[in-house]
Amino acid sequence: MQSRTTTTVLLGVAQTLAWASSYYLPAILADAIARDVGSSSSAVFGAFSVALLMSAAIGPFAGRLIDRRGGRPVLIASNVVFAAGLAALSQAQQPLHVFAAWAVMGLAMGSGLYEAAFATAVRLHGQQARRTITGITLFAGFASTVGWPLTAWLESTMGWRGACLVWAGLHLGLALPLNAMLPAAERAAPASGDAGGKPEQQAALPPAKQRGAAVLLAFVFAVAWFTSTAMAAHLPKLLLGVGASLAAAVGIAALVGPAQVAGRLIEFAFLSKAHPLLSARLATLGHPLGALCIGLFGSSAAMAFAVLHGLGNGILTIAIGTLPLLFFGAKGYGQRQGFLMVPARIVQAGAPFLFGLAVERLGVGALWVSAGLGLAACLALARLAPSTAR
């Protein structure tokens, strides 16, 4: 059996490339793509929303394949589809082509991003996959740090079409070989929903309580992705609204990424022995506490808000992988994880638009909407008893 450290490194590097070439691509290339195809940047982001919806649709099926055959073939296939989507995008001549290319990218995102990587780790290491999941997020936490500058440099030197082709080549030449180095998992029978089986597969909740827990977790994950995506799209504008200068707003917003990595390091170093539910509850409070600081102290607390939001969001990314493993066990993890993330992907697709409406109508007061959602997520987690820990 491959060591957990090796699995973490292989999946972590491959995930960094996958996130950098998909989720973080429109922020750099949207304007250039829109100019060339005779569209608007908002339309390009609309195509990206289509990709997120496609990923929601394909996620449960990809998860079921990982449960049955292991993650290696699914992740390898996702690299091929990523490359095809990026190559198609590089040849786009009109808006319809952009939407079609991003639809293909959505198939790869639903079978090749975090949920698939987490399911692969669980398929290989069972209940011992928590630290592997944390390690994967530590690597991929640098996706924007690596991806944005590299994409910008590629765009400036060879144009956005060339940048897409380079990313496609990296999927085939780097990410695919990394995923191919993962061990082949033994074939498994479809999940039966039974909490029994091997100890490394057993669930902490009995079957009678699993449906209610699944609804609560799906809500928490949807809140996490909605808030994360909304802040990624609107945080600089919100900071301008509380009185920060443009330079300060951009600089403070840039702290979110390092804060996310710091949150994952804290979870890895200090909270790895604690119950995952405790980490998740603390994480859901990060954004509301930051909003409270803004409400009390205005622009002087802008940096505190960015850091608290980033810390919470970083830890919640780990919770998305570890809480389903704890409560439902390793058996059938991939398919279950895919279904749990469907609401999250759907609200994520609409988050920039919906939260943008709130910002237009409420200004900085829109933070009370996102803070309220964070508190609701914390209350949802409070319904799950910590006594289920092993």
Side-chain angles (χ1 to χ4, degrees), residues 36-39 91-100 161:
D36 269 15
V37 302
S39 184
Q91 303 304 307
Q93 301 296 327
Q94 55 181 284
L96 181 61
H97 297 162
V98 176
F99 276 83
R161 298 180 189 277

Side-chain angles (χ1 to χ4, degrees), residues 216 241 306 325 333 338:
L216 292 174
L325 177 60
Y333 175 95

Side-chain angles (χ1 to χ4, degrees), residues 364-389:
V364 180
L367 281 177
W368 298 118
V369 175
S370 54
L373 289 171
L375 292 175
C378 187
L379 290 174
L381 290 175
R383 297 287 302 273
L384 297 169
S387 61
T388 55

Side-chain angles (χ1 to χ4, degrees), residues 84-356:
L86 287 162
L89 182 60
S90 75
Q91 303 304 307
Q93 301 296 327
Q94 55 181 284
L96 181 61
H97 297 162
V98 176
F99 276 83
W102 274 106
V104 174
M105 291 279 284
L107 295 175
M109 292 164 70
S111 57
L113 292 182
Y114 272 155
E115 290 77 36
F118 295 165
T120 299
V122 171
R123 186 70 174 79
L124 292 172
H125 302 297
Q127 289 285 356
Q128 305 303 313
R130 179 179 177 182
R131 288 178 70 85
T132 301
I133 289 170
T134 303
I136 292 167
T137 65
L138 281 174
F139 275 93
F142 292 99
S144 62
T145 306
V146 173
W148 281 340
L150 180 55
T151 300
W153 179 78
L154 291 170
E155 194 273 335
S156 67
T157 55
M158 60 183 67
W160 68 268
R161 298 180 189 277
C164 290
L165 287 174
V166 169
W167 281 119
L170 287 173
H171 270 284
L172 297 178
L174 178 58
L176 189 153
L178 288 173
N179 286 324
M181 291 171 66
L182 294 166
E186 295 179 2
R187 292 290 295 270
S192 65
D194 183 12
K198 298 179 181 179
E200 65 270 19
Q201 293 183 331
Q202 288 177 356
L205 284 179
K209 295 184 178 181
Q210 288 186 11
R211 178 171 295 182
V215 172
L216 292 174
L217 288 182
F219 171 75
V220 172
F221 299 165
V223 168
W225 279 113
F226 177 89
T227 304
S228 174
T229 306
M231 290 301 105
H234 297 289
L235 182 53
K237 185 175 182 180
L238 285 170
L239 296 178
L240 288 173
V242 299
S245 66
L246 178 59
V250 172
I252 291 170
L255 293 174
V256 172
Q260 288 181 157
V261 175
R264 293 163 187 168
L265 284 171
I266 290 171
E267 210 281 345
F268 186 82
F270 302 108
L271 296 176
S272 60
K273 300 298 184 182
H275 194 289
L277 197 54
L278 173 62
S279 299
R281 288 173 179 171
L282 292 174
T284 58
L285 295 177
H287 182 84
L289 286 175
L292 179 62
C293 290
I294 288 282
L296 293 176
F297 305 109
S299 60
S300 62
M303 187 177 297
F305 170 79
V307 171
L308 286 168
H309 166 73
L311 288 171
N313 192 63
I315 297 174
L316 275 174
T317 304
I318 299 170
I320 286 172
T322 57
L323 288 181
L325 177 60
L326 171 74
F327 289 117
F328 310 124
K331 189 174 184 180
Y333 175 95
Q335 183 176 11
R336 185 179 292 107
Q337 182 78 340
F339 279 118
L340 287 174
M341 292 302 296
V342 167
R345 292 297 186 191
I346 292 173
V347 300
Q348 184 185 29
F353 173 74
L354 294 174
F355 196 76

